[in-house]
């Protein structure tokens, strides 16, 4: 059946457009502009002075007509939570000030580096003030002491970072496990001290630490200093004991007075180790852990010169701390953990970089002002910050995010740093209501203006010469004639006088109406069609799925044949249990071919296709292959038939969305091939039951049917001379090395592109990217969507490291690793990630950090969260599955992450943990998040945990009776039903607040998150703890503290 969706109304460019609040719109379509003279863009071959901090006339955009993104879901089977797909840019990013801002701590790349000679750190081409004070993270393995350097100079406006929150530590590491869940990544408002004005530095408390040392496991001894690389198979991540009570409540966060000792888990306490600060150090952009000088006897205060974490002065303390040799402690091991270990020392988790604090700081510093895209190489606010974007010549970060906004000028420098150069591109990203969709430009029969040589499209970086009669391409430097109908005079700066009347000359993102030359067979396309293909086998009928689906389709579609009423009755008595799969897709594709249109197949399927037919599969599930060289076969399709079928679908513009309802193994790795290669989506509802899973499935289906989709699409990424696109990640098909082909592309999907040098870059000119997407809209219109982005180039490593974005790096690294498991043993993939991370940090330490003791772990300010986030990727179910994680679960998550945007991978790998009873009931705003660790849970509180696919409500055993009554409508904790998926709707403030928060979280995600209520000490708690990613996992994953220690050792070995 044909579904004709009209395109959202876009005002023609020649008519008045709505404007941004508080900012004049100039002459788009002849509106009067502001009286101030517009600043022009500079010549491409020179600096770009023309980008302005204030909006140029006429660059405002109209608010889009679309509303909030629909909610979506992901749930799991038979007591398990299943993965669903994230929402996309639902987490909006916060406005940035018009001053060029530096990225907040926590973001770092990965690669493997040969260490190079020391390089100084002058600012290159960027209006940065002094870099933010460093959080020097001293991760001496056995005696960790935190130090930071305090600068005499004040910080640039909006860039202050305060000390991390300090919570009394309660217990050590806790295993993650459980039914199926996945490791998240944290998008949470930080808990803790508010940041003061950056210019003022209040006195810093001293953070005492109980350092932890670990008894070597029997199977693995201490690591030799000369060895480099990831942990050996026999070694185990040491850490605090696991034999403690499951829940230890921790007091509310509070600042500790100097000299206070943190209490730790059972075990002999140590004298506290304090840190003091020495004035007069240069402001550094790094964080360092560990003593700054040689070994000292006894424990006590640091030697003179160590500064406190958080970079603020602390009172001097008398005794120097003792140093333990990290090499005397075994490397953390990933597989075996002795059941019990003696706790001699304890590292305070509050003394190491906190994702929550970094997120909160960015929200406070960059969430209040719009992010204006006029300046080249600006690092945008974090994906966890809500901000407004004003397009003034570069694409919004909602469309493109880069791992670094300052690219090394040479390939040698890039190899030395090992920071991958990549962009995560979401061409059809949904925008918040305050931001306008890209303007549509119609050049008539002549079509869009392009460079004759490289075929790049007209953009703001093109340089007009010879009075406007010709233009020089900013990508390949070719001189092109300007067609007479496009000619316009230049002003005194060399800029066309109509620059702000034309989106393609003033905006980073815009669309062209395509001419017939851009259409198949030189014929304009028909509107796309939707085809619904329903499994009517015994399992599908018995579960109630077929009746539910037919009822829903009647409400979703405007006109409906009576067939939908008849289908459930026609097959009510079926006993057919065997199903086919490939022939169903083939039939749908042939129907679209006969109708001469592109379209989408919605395929609802329940079981492994074992009937005699093309694409027949066998059950090959074999857990014995895990941790062997043959494990990669579990992720590979078992037959090549589906790749061939997918290629035919792409040629026809036939996108496939697959809804799976398995009760057992269905070989997701093979069935997802066609959706993956056609740009479609996979949804999985294991052990589907209408009463429990109806809301989640119908919500996903409605949203999927209503998505704005581009059909029969081709995407190409062009770059200026010096770099080129070399690798691509996502759900698409490639027939050559440059064109990304997508039968369908929706607003949730990303394509990740990696770049490499093919020549030397120039600091003055920078580097340019242009993404061009040719597609057919839902209304059948052929369009070209163009996104442009200009980046800086640098000759100093320090400039690279201060302009990285760790969230984007982690997104790239996860996709790189998840593709790697198709061809390499999982252990090799994990080792590669660890080595690359160590090389990135070692290169920074050697070339950019000020000289300090080898006992210090020094992290770049922008990358200080790289270790914690990378550890979450390493512990994820794809790379380190627990016993309950099925082969299908792993294959499902692997293909989901491949298309995720940066906001989705952020919360997926580090989930948000929100306390519900700490803030006043009247306060309906989202509560500040806490770190994803069991010791942050108090048994007197209730918490929500979400990772974009799963939603848990954890109830402590000592929650007040009134709270239990208000939320669950029962009188005591023991009466709460564990595993409950719907909260009762009660007429009180707390119930309304929690229901509102759950609705808000669901609205932010692209899939509906099914709620699971988990009671403390209940069997479901094992599943919940799987998402507390700072703790040790039952599958052998290291705790954050242990992994940081291990990473420090890897870096020291590289440096030695």
């Amino acid at each position: 059946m044909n579904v004709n969706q009209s395109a959202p109304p876009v005002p023609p460019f020649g008519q008045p457009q709505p404007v941004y609040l508080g900012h004049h719109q100039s002459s788009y379509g002849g509106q009067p502009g502001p009286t101030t003279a517009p600043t022009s863009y500079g010549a491409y071959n020179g600096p770009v002075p023309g980008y302005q901090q204030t909006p140029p006339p006429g660059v405002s955009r109209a608010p889009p007509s679309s509303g909030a993104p629909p909610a979506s879901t992901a749930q799991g089977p038979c007591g398990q939570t299943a993965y669903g797909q994230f929402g996309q840019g639902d987490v909006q990013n916060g406005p940035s000030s018009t001053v060029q801002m530096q990225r907040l701590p926590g973001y770092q790349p990965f690669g493997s580096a040969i260490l190079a000679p020391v390089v100084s750190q002058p600012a290159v081409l960027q209006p940065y003030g002094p870099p933010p004070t460093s959080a020097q993270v001293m991760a001496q393995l056995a005696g960790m002491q935190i130090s930071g350097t305090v600068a005499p100079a004040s910080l640039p406006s909006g860039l202050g970072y305060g000390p991390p929150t300090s919570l009394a530590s309660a217990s050590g590491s806790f295993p993650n496990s459980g039914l199926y869940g996945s490791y998240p990544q944290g998008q949470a408002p930080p808990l803790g001290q508010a940041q003061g004005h950056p210019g003022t530095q209040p006195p810093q408390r001293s953070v005492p630490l109980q350092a932890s040392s670990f008894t070597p496991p029997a199977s693995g001894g201490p690591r030799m200093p000369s060895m480099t690389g990831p942990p050996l198979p026999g070694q185990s991540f040491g850490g605090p004991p696991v034999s403690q009570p499951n829940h230890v409540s921790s007091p509310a966060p509070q600042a500790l007075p100097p000299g206070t000792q943190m209490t730790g888990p059972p075990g002999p306490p140590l004298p506290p180790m304090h840190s003091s600060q020495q004035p007069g150090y240069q402001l550094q952009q790094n964080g360092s852990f560990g003593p700054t000088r040689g070994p000292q006897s006894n424990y006590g205060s640091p030697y003179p010169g160590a500064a406190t974490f958080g970079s603020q002065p602390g009172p001097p303390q008398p005794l120097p701390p003792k140093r333990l040799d990290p090499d005397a402690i075994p490397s953390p091991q990933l597989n075996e953990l002795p059941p019990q270990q003696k706790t001699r020392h304890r590292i305070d988790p509050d003394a190491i970089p906190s994702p929550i604090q970094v997120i909160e700081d960015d929200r406070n510093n960059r969430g209040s002002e719009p992010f204006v895209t006029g300046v080249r190489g600006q690092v945008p606010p974090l994906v966890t910050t809500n901000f407004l974007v004003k397009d003034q010549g570069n694409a919004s970060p909602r469309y493109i995010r880069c791992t670094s906004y300052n690219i090394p000028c040479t390939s040698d420098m890039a190899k030395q740093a090992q920071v991958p150069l990549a962009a995560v591109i979401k061409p059809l990203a949904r925008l918040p209501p305050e931001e306008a969709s890209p303007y549509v430009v119609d050049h008539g029969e002549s079509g869009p203006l392009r460079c004759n040589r490289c075929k790049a499209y007209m953009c703001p970086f093109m340089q007009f010469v010879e009075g406007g009669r010709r233009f020089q391409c900013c990508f390949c430097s070719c001189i092109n004639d300007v067609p007479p109908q496009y000619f316009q005079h230049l002003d005194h700066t060399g800029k066309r006088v109509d620059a702000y009347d034309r989106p393609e000359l003033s905006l980073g993102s815009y669309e062209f109406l395509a001419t017939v030359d851009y259409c198949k067979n030189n014929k304009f396309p028909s509107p796309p069609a939707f085809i619904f293909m329903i499994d009517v086998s015994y399992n599908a009928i018995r579960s109630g799925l077929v009746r539910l689906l037919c009822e829903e389709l009647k409400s979703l579609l405007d006109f409906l044949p009576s067939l939908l009423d008849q289908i459930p009755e026609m097959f009510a008595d079926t006993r057919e249990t065997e199903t086919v799969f490939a022939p169903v897709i083939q039939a749908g594709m042939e129907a679209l071919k006969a109708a001469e249109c592109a379209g989408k197949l919605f395929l609802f399927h329940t079981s492994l296709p074992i009937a005699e037919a093309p694409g027949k599969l066998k059950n090959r599930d074999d857990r014995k292959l895990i941790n062997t060289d043959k494990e990669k076969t579990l992720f590979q399709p078992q037959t090549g038939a589906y790749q061939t079928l997918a290629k035919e679908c792409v040629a026809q513009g036939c996108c496939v969305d697959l809804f799976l309802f398995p009760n057992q193994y269905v070989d997701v790795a093979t069935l997802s091939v066609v959706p993956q290669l056609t740009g479609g989506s996979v949804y999985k509802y294991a052990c589907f039951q209408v009463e429990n899973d109806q809301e989640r499935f119908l919500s996903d289906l409605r949203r999927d049917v209503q998505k704005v989709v581009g059909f029969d699409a081709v995407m190409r990424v062009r770059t200026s001379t010096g770099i080129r696109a070399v690798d691509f990640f996502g759900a698409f098909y490639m027939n050559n090395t440059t064109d990304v082909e997508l039968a369908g592309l929706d607003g949730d999907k990303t394509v990740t592109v990696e770049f490499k040098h093919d020549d030397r870059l120039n600091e003055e000119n920078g580097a340019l990217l242009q993404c061009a997407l040719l597609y057919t809209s839902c209304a059948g219109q052929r369009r070209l969507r163009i996104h442009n982005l200009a980046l800086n180039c640098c000759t100093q490593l320090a400039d690279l490291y201060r302009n990285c974005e760790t969230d984007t790096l982690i997104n790239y690294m996860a996709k790189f690793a998840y593709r790697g498991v198709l061809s390499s043993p999982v252990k090799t993939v994990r080792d590669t990630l660890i080595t690359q991370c160590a090389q990135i940090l070692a290169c920074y330490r050697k070339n950019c950090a000020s000289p300090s003791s080898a006992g210090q772990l020094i992290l770049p300010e922008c990358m200080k969260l790289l270790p914690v986030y990378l550890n979450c990727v390493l512990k994820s179910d794809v790379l380190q599955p627990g016993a309950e994680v099925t082969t299908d679960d792993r294959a499902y998550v692997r293909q989901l992450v491949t298309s995720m945007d940066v906001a989705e991978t952020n919360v997926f790998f580090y989930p948000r943990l929100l306390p519900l009873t700490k803030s006043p009931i009247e306060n309906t705003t989202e509560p500040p998040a806490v770190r994803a660790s069991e010791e942050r849970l108090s048994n007197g509180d209730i918490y929500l945990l979400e990772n974009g696919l799963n939603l848990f409500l954890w109830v402590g055993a000592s929650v007040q009776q009134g709270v239990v009554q208000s939320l669950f409508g029962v009188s005591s904790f023991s009466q709460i039903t564990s595993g409950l998926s719907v909260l009762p709707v009660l007429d009180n403030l707390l119930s309304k607040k929690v229901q509102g928060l759950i609705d808000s979280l669901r609205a932010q995600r692209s899939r509906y998150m099914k709620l699971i209520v988990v009671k403390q000490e209940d069997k479901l708690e094992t599943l919940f703890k799987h998402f507390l990613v700072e703790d040790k996992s039952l599958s052998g994953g290291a705790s954050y503290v242990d992994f940081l220690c291990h990473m420090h050792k890897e870096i020291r070995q590289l440096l030695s």
Side-chain angles (χ1 to χ4, degrees):
M1 50 196 78
N2 238 353
V3 179
N4 297 326
Q5 294 176 296
S6 57
V10 178
F13 209 67
Q15 294 177 9
Q17 313 280 350
V19 297
Y20 281 116
L21 295 174
H23 149 193
H24 239 313
Q25 164 110 5
S26 98
S27 44
Y28 279 129
Q31 291 188 96
T35 53
T36 55
T39 314
S40 60
Y41 296 96
Y44 170 64
N45 287 330
V48 192
Y51 287 122
Q52 346 174 50
Q53 308 288 6
T54 55
V59 183
S60 317
R61 297 205 276 158
S65 52
S66 60
S72 59
T73 174
Q75 157 213 355
C78 311
Q80 310 174 317
T81 34
Y83 280 94
Q85 175 151 16
F86 273 167
Q88 69 162 12
D90 358 298
V91 183
Q92 298 170 3
N93 314 9
S96 89
S97 90
T98 50
V99 181
Q100 181 162 348
M101 308 287 291
Q102 265 173 285
R103 166 50 95 224
L104 284 187
Y107 283 42
Q108 154 182 8
F110 104 75
S112 51
I114 311 295
L115 301 170
V118 176
V119 179
S120 59
Q121 304 187 5
V124 178
L125 265 180
Q126 286 171 288
Y128 285 111
T133 351
S134 62
Q136 294 225 10
V137 182
M138 297 173 32
Q140 175 74 36
L141 282 147
M144 271 198 164
Q145 173 191 355
I146 302 311
S147 81
T149 19
V150 172
S154 63
L155 294 174
S157 171
L159 281 180
Y161 303 88
T165 321
S166 188
L167 289 155
S169 52
S171 61
S173 66
F174 301 85
N176 287 331
S177 125
L179 305 163
Y180 185 53
S182 151
Y183 293 78
Q185 177 167 354
Q187 231 185 337
L191 171 68
Q193 293 180 315
Q195 196 54 44
H197 187 278
T200 62
Q201 302 272 349
Q204 156 90 9
R205 68 178 190 276
S206 164
V207 184
L209 293 174
Q210 280 187 280
S212 53
S213 74
F214 317 103
T215 307
S219 57
R223 191 105 170 254
M224 296 305 294
S226 60
M227 294 172 60
T228 60
L232 300 175
Q235 299 166 325
S236 147
F237 272 110
V242 226
S243 56
Q244 321 188 16
N246 285 334
H247 299 274
V248 187
S249 66
S250 57
Q254 53 189 353
L256 299 176
T260 308
Q261 176 167 347
M262 306 288 289
T263 56
L270 273 186
M273 294 162 49
H274 304 297
S275 52
S276 64
Q277 173 267 339
Q278 178 183 13
Y281 276 17
Q282 274 307 107
L283 187 63
Q284 295 184 63
Q285 187 169 7
N286 62 24
S288 62
F289 284 98
T292 50
R293 298 207 181 160
Q296 304 281 332
S297 56
N298 304 322
Y299 285 88
S301 80
Y303 348 102
T308 53
F309 182 71
S311 321
Q312 301 186 10
Q317 302 290 336
L319 299 171
K322 177 179 177 184
R323 263 193 73 193
L324 296 182
D325 179 8
D327 294 316
I329 297 170
S331 294
Q333 175 204 16
L334 302 170
N335 298 323
E336 298 172 4
L337 182 68
Q340 193 165 6
Q341 294 174 346
K342 290 181 185 174
T343 302
R344 290 185 304 172
H345 311 302
R346 165 96 177 132
I347 295 168
D348 178 12
D350 288 317
I352 56 181
S354 162
I356 305 304
Q357 190 64 51
V358 169
I359 289 168
E360 186 66 17
D361 288 344
D362 194 77
R363 285 178 174 167
N364 293 337
N365 294 328
R366 308 197 64 184
S368 57
E369 298 177 8
F371 178 69
V372 182
T373 71
V375 177
R376 183 177 80 187
Q378 279 187 108
V379 181
L382 299 182
V383 288
T384 44
T385 299
N386 280 312
F387 60 92
L388 183 69
V389 178
K390 292 190 176 179
D391 185 341
Q392 291 190 5
N394 282 290
S396 161
R398 305 193 206 289
Y399 294 123
I400 305 180
R401 278 189 175 263
C402 295
T403 54
S404 178
Y405 289 80
N406 206 332
I407 297 180
C409 280
T410 65
S411 58
D412 288 346
M413 187 175 162
K415 286 173 188 167
Q416 184 180 346
Q418 285 295 309
V419 175
L421 306 176
V424 179
I425 305 173
K426 189 170 7 171
L428 298 180
R430 292 176 289 122
L431 301 178
E434 305 80 29
E435 295 175 22
S437 296
Y439 287 110
V440 181
V441 180
D442 186 357
H443 282 312
E445 291 183 6
S446 61
L449 187 57
R450 306 176 69 177
C451 170
N452 290 329
R453 182 194 291 162
C454 70
K455 304 301 180 188
Y457 293 87
M458 180 54 66
C459 71
F461 311 119
M462 298 290 191
Q463 178 68 35
F464 287 87
V465 294
E466 298 181 23
R469 289 186 296 278
R470 306 178 89 185
F471 71 92
Q472 181 173 23
C473 176
C474 51
F475 294 93
C476 70
S477 302
C478 177
I479 302 289
N480 299 267
D481 291 330
V482 173
Q485 72 273 14
Y486 198 78
F487 173 79
Q488 187 52 272
H489 294 286
L490 309 184
D491 64 15
H492 67 286
T493 66
K495 189 173 198 62
R496 282 174 59 121
V497 297
D498 65 347
Y500 293 113
D501 295 328
R502 292 187 176 274
E504 73 273 23
L505 298 182
S506 55
L507 298 179
S509 300
Y510 42 87
E511 288 198 332
F512 292 117
L513 286 186
T515 61
V516 73
D517 301 332
Y518 292 86
C519 303
K520 278 184 181 173
N521 307 319
N522 283 332
K523 178 181 168 187
F524 282 111
S526 304
F530 285 178
I531 301 178
F532 296 85
M533 318 191 81
I534 305 168
D535 177 349
V536 290
S537 65
Y538 174 73
N539 284 339
I541 296 289
R542 187 190 61 175
S543 68
L545 169 65
V546 174
R547 186 173 297 280
L548 175 70
L549 179 55
C550 290
E551 287 299 317
E552 180 63 20
L553 290 180
K554 288 198 291 190
S555 65
L556 276 176
L557 304 175
D558 298 331
F559 53 94
L560 217 36
S562 59
L563 179 62
L564 281 178
D565 289 322
Q566 299 168 17
I567 288 175
E569 307 308 326
M570 288 165 61
F571 298 96
D573 299 325
T574 185
R575 288 292 174 266
E576 184 59 66
T577 56
E578 294 187 353
T579 59
V580 297
F581 188 74
V584 181
I585 297 175
Q586 186 81 38
M589 182 187 66
E590 296 295 342
L592 292 177
K593 189 180 289 186
E596 296 186 341
C597 67
K600 181 181 279 196
L601 306 185
F602 296 84
L603 194 53
F604 305 89
H605 193 77
T606 59
S607 56
L608 191 70
I610 57 174
E612 286 298 336
K616 173 185 174 180
L617 301 178
K618 63 178 188 292
N619 188 332
R620 54 169 186 155
D621 192 14
D622 186 358
R623 291 191 60 87
K624 292 196 287 294
L625 297 181
I626 293 177
N627 294 324
T628 70
D629 286 349
K630 290 187 177 178
E631 184 174 5
K632 60 191 175 193
T633 61
L634 297 176
F635 297 107
Q636 299 166 351
Q638 62 172 281
T639 167
Y642 287 94
Q643 279 105 323
T644 305
L645 180 58
K647 184 177 178 180
E648 295 173 17
C649 287
V650 171
Q652 181 52 44
C654 170
C655 176
V656 177
D657 280 359
L658 175 59
F659 293 77
L660 285 171
F661 306 86
N663 290 328
Q664 53 194 4
Y665 177 75
V666 289
D667 199 348
V668 172
T670 303
L671 297 189
S672 63
V673 165
V674 176
Q676 178 82 6
L677 293 178
T678 60
S681 303
V682 179
Y683 299 84
K684 180 166 164 283
Y685 311 88
C687 305
F688 180 83
Q689 295 177 310
V690 170
E691 59 277 12
N692 293 332
D693 303 308
Q694 169 177 337
E695 186 179 5
R696 176 176 163 232
F697 163 56
L698 294 183
S699 174
D700 283 346
L701 176 61
R702 288 173 197 140
R703 189 174 185 283
D704 198 56
V705 170
Q706 293 162 3
K707 277 179 182 176
V708 174
V709 181
F711 291 97
D712 213 0
V714 180
M715 186 182 111
R716 180 175 285 195
V717 177
R718 293 177 172 86
T719 54
S720 54
T721 305
I723 55 170
R724 61 191 171 89
V726 294
D727 208 352
F728 300 84
F729 304 82
F732 52 76
Y733 176 76
M734 289 189 78
N735 208 19
N736 55 41
T737 57
T738 56
D739 294 329
V740 174
E741 299 180 47
L742 304 119
L745 176 68
D746 62 53
D748 296 330
K749 299 284 192 310
T750 65
V751 176
T752 301
V753 186
E754 185 182 7
F755 303 97
K756 287 225 162 46
H757 288 75
D758 58 8
D759 203 347
R760 186 183 177 89
L761 292 167
N762 179 292
E763 275 189 282
E764 187 179 339
N765 296 343
L768 297 178
L769 314 177
Q770 183 179 83
C771 166
L773 177 77
L774 174 66
Y775 71 98
T776 301
S777 71
C778 287
Q781 197 174 51
R782 202 70 173 149
R783 292 184 173 187
L784 280 154
R785 179 167 289 199
I786 311 296
H787 298 297
N788 304 288
L789 185 64
L791 303 173
N792 284 329
C793 296
C794 59
T795 55
Q796 304 292 331
L797 284 166
D799 293 319
L800 165 68
Y801 280 102
R802 73 166 61 100
N803 288 281
C804 289
E805 230 230 353
T806 299
D807 286 332
T808 309
L809 274 164
I810 288 293
N811 179 284
Y812 165 84
M813 292 168 78
K815 291 172 180 176
F816 180 84
Y818 282 15
R819 186 177 67 184
V821 299
L822 291 172
S823 54
S824 303
V826 172
K827 182 184 183 304
T828 304
V829 173
R830 292 168 46 80
D831 291 353
T832 300
L833 287 182
I834 293 171
T835 303
Q836 287 177 313
C837 178
Q839 287 173 320
I840 290 170
L841 298 178
C843 177
Y844 175 82
R845 170 64 185 263
K846 181 171 182 179
N847 297 288
C848 306
S850 55
S852 58
S853 155
Q856 281 185 308
L857 170 60
I858 300 183
L859 303 172
E861 190 65 39
C862 291
M863 293 185 185
K864 68 183 184 189
L865 296 184
L866 185 65
V868 61
Y869 285 167
L870 181 68
N871 190 38
C872 295
V873 175
L874 293 170
K875 288 160 60 168
S876 66
D877 293 321
V878 173
L879 298 183
Q880 194 163 31
E884 300 80 5
V885 180
T886 68
T887 303
D888 275 347
D889 288 333
R890 298 177 74 196
Y892 177 59
V893 174
R894 197 195 73 78
Q895 62 83 30
L896 266 185
V897 169
T898 302
S899 298
M900 280 184 181
D901 68 11
V902 178
E904 289 171 337
T905 52
N906 174 272
V907 75
F908 178 71
F909 288 114
Y910 192 99
R912 283 203 287 179
L913 183 60
L914 307 173
L916 300 185
T917 48
K918 291 185 184 295
S919 56
I921 293 185
E922 313 77 55
N923 184 357
T924 54
T925 58
E926 190 177 287
V930 296
R931 292 169 69 166
S933 170
E934 183 171 6
E935 61 185 40
R936 307 292 168 168
L937 301 176
S938 161
N939 58 10
D941 291 323
I942 296 178
Y943 297 81
L944 263 179
L945 182 144
E946 66 111 359
N947 74 337
L949 304 183
N950 306 290
L951 186 61
F952 294 94
L953 185 73
W954 184 87
V955 186
S958 305
V959 170
Q960 293 177 5
Q961 184 179 344
V963 171
V964 172
Q965 184 70 49
S966 298
L967 205 50
F968 299 98
V970 296
S971 56
S972 70
F973 174 81
S974 60
Q975 293 176 292
I976 299 172
T977 306
S978 181
L980 195 68
S981 59
V982 179
L983 293 178
V985 178
L986 303 173
D987 188 16
N988 63 71
L989 284 176
L990 180 62
S991 178
K992 290 175 180 174
K993 173 181 175 176
V994 173
Q995 297 274 10
L997 179 58
I998 289 172
D999 291 343
S1000 166
L1001 293 176
R1002 284 173 173 161
Q1004 293 172 28
R1005 305 294 170 215
S1006 67
R1007 300 192 177 209
Y1008 182 93
M1009 297 185 291
K1010 178 182 172 182
L1011 179 71
I1012 298 179
V1013 173
V1014 178
K1015 295 167 66 176
Q1016 183 173 359
E1017 305 292 356
D1018 186 80
K1019 62 176 188 284
L1020 271 177
E1021 199 180 37
T1022 309
L1023 170 59
F1024 171 77
K1025 288 180 184 177
H1026 184 80
F1027 298 91
L1028 300 178
V1029 291
E1030 289 201 19
D1031 299 336
K1032 252 187 203 71
S1033 67
L1034 279 185
S1035 57
S1039 69
Y1040 174 20
V1041 168
D1042 291 348
F1043 184 72
L1044 198 61
C1045 294
H1046 177 62
M1047 189 53 61
H1048 184 206
K1049 183 182 286 188
E1050 293 288 330
I1051 293 167
R1052 292 189 64 187
Q1053 288 169 352
L1054 285 172
L1055 293 175
S1056 64

